[in-house]
Amino acid sequence: MSIAYASIAVVSMLAAAGCATGQGGKDAEESPNSENCAVQEHAMGLRWQQQSAEAQALQSQTYRLAGERLAEKVKQAKSENLAIVTDLDETAIDNTELLARDMTACHDYSVWDTWGHWELEGSPSAIPGAAEFFHKADKMGVSIYYLSDRTEENLDATIASLKGLDFPQVSKDHVMLLGPSKEERRTKIQREHEIVMQLGDTLHDFAGDYASADLDQQRQLVEKDAEHFGGDWFILPNPTYGSWEDAELDEWDAELEVNKSS
């Protein structure tokens, strides 16, 4: 995940627009299901991400296949300084408890103004298959770099969370948080390592071109980069937030017909 912390001005504007936190007066009595609670649109995706067995299976499947592919790459590699670059949030660790709490309070979690508290005191869980994969990479002698747009000021807390989940190679040198862009951080790693695999839940976890691209451009880039996916790039599912959130849906133009029961 890429977390872009909003300014106080933006937060205030969004709150005024109607996604209130529900403190005091009439707003406090409003149900999260009310028309004013736009963040409730994420309920189905959040429910799938946190509770579905299909999400669990897909996450485990992704890490198993990544492990098999990594073993092949290590055997084929000519360099001894191999590295994996992975995102954290919704790639290696699960933050859906925070998102669910915010949504229940009718608070737009995509503003990212509650993440600081979560980074310090929250308890993320490991994505199924993640810890096993990273330990396998560690045993193969592959360096692991955790690139996240969590805040640098909460580095110690993020390190503590990762150590609590028994992730390997967790240190201030290997946990690289928000400051330089992810592209710049990857470039820094490439000075001393050959990056043989990347993992993320959003496309700009893999290449800087995706960060500034609109949805149509992202689709074109995915076609261009098709050979990477499942090879040295592995993307994890995340239907809870992303650059696609405001996209319009394509609809069938036929008139609605409903089968009536006999």
Side-chain angles (χ1 to χ4, degrees):
M1 175 194 75
S2 177
I3 303 174
Y5 280 82
S7 66
I8 294 176
V10 173
V11 174
S12 300
M13 180 179 68
L14 287 171
C19 193
T21 58
Q23 297 179 1
K26 182 178 179 181
D27 289 342
E29 299 174 1
E30 289 185 335
S31 163
N33 293 317
S34 71
E35 293 181 359
N36 291 335
C37 189
V39 73
Q40 191 69 19
E41 293 181 0
H42 298 296
M44 186 64 76
L46 182 53
R47 188 174 291 113
W48 184 89
Q49 181 80 350
Q50 185 186 86
Q51 297 293 334
S52 77
E54 287 84 357
Q56 177 187 357
L58 186 54
Q59 291 160 341
S60 297
Q61 171 183 281
T62 300
Y63 275 110
R64 179 176 60 81
L65 294 174
E68 293 174 0
R69 186 68 180 122
L70 181 62
E72 295 173 3
K73 286 186 167 295
V74 170
K75 288 180 181 179
Q76 298 167 359
K78 297 180 180 179
S79 169
E80 294 183 356
N81 297 321
L82 306 181
I84 290 171
V85 173
T86 181
D87 176 55
L88 284 178
D89 300 308
E90 279 55 70
T91 297
I93 58 177
D94 183 324
N95 305 281
T96 52
E97 287 188 4
L98 166 67
L99 309 185
R101 190 283 310 272
D102 284 7
M103 188 183 69
T104 300
C106 196
H107 184 81
D108 183 2
Y109 54 70
S110 66
V111 177
W112 315 124
D113 59 345
T114 58
W115 273 83
H117 184 199
W118 172 255
E119 289 173 10
L120 289 172
E121 299 183 21
S123 298
S125 57
I127 294 290
E132 295 85 351
F133 169 77
F134 294 126
H135 277 289
K136 181 180 290 188
D138 183 50
K139 290 179 181 178
M140 292 179 188
V142 178
S143 296
I144 303 165
Y145 287 91
Y146 301 98
L147 266 66
S148 169
D149 284 346
R150 286 176 164 233
T151 56
E152 180 70 24
E153 65 188 50
N154 293 336
L155 174 61
D156 289 343
T158 293
I159 287 176
S161 292
L162 296 177
K163 286 184 175 180
L165 295 172
D166 192 33
F167 283 12
Q169 300 186 31
V170 175
S171 68
K172 290 186 177 181
D173 291 333
H174 284 252
V175 180
M176 305 172 71
L177 303 186
L178 185 63
S181 68
K182 286 196 172 182
E183 189 72 9
E184 292 175 271
R185 283 173 274 171
R186 282 190 291 265
T187 299
K188 182 178 179 180
I189 295 167
Q190 286 175 318
R191 291 173 188 154
E192 297 183 359
H193 299 80
E194 177 188 351
I195 297 176
V196 292
M197 186 170 291
Q198 297 188 76
L199 302 103
D201 68 304
T202 187
L203 290 167
H204 56 264
D205 288 331
F206 302 95
D209 290 347
Y210 288 98
S212 58
D214 60 27
L215 281 176
D216 287 338
Q217 292 169 332
Q218 286 182 351
R219 289 176 180 275
Q220 293 171 14
L221 287 169
V222 166
E223 291 182 9
K224 178 178 72 70
D225 294 330
E227 291 186 0
H228 282 295
F229 294 104
D232 58 337
W233 294 359
F234 285 83
I235 191 161
L236 279 293
N238 179 9
T240 63
Y241 53 80
S243 59
W244 41 264
E245 289 180 31
D246 298 322
E248 295 184 5
L249 295 173
D250 295 330
E251 300 179 14
W252 188 25
D253 59 6
E255 185 176 346
L256 177 67
E257 295 184 9
V258 179
N259 293 331
K260 296 181 180 180
S261 59
S262 57

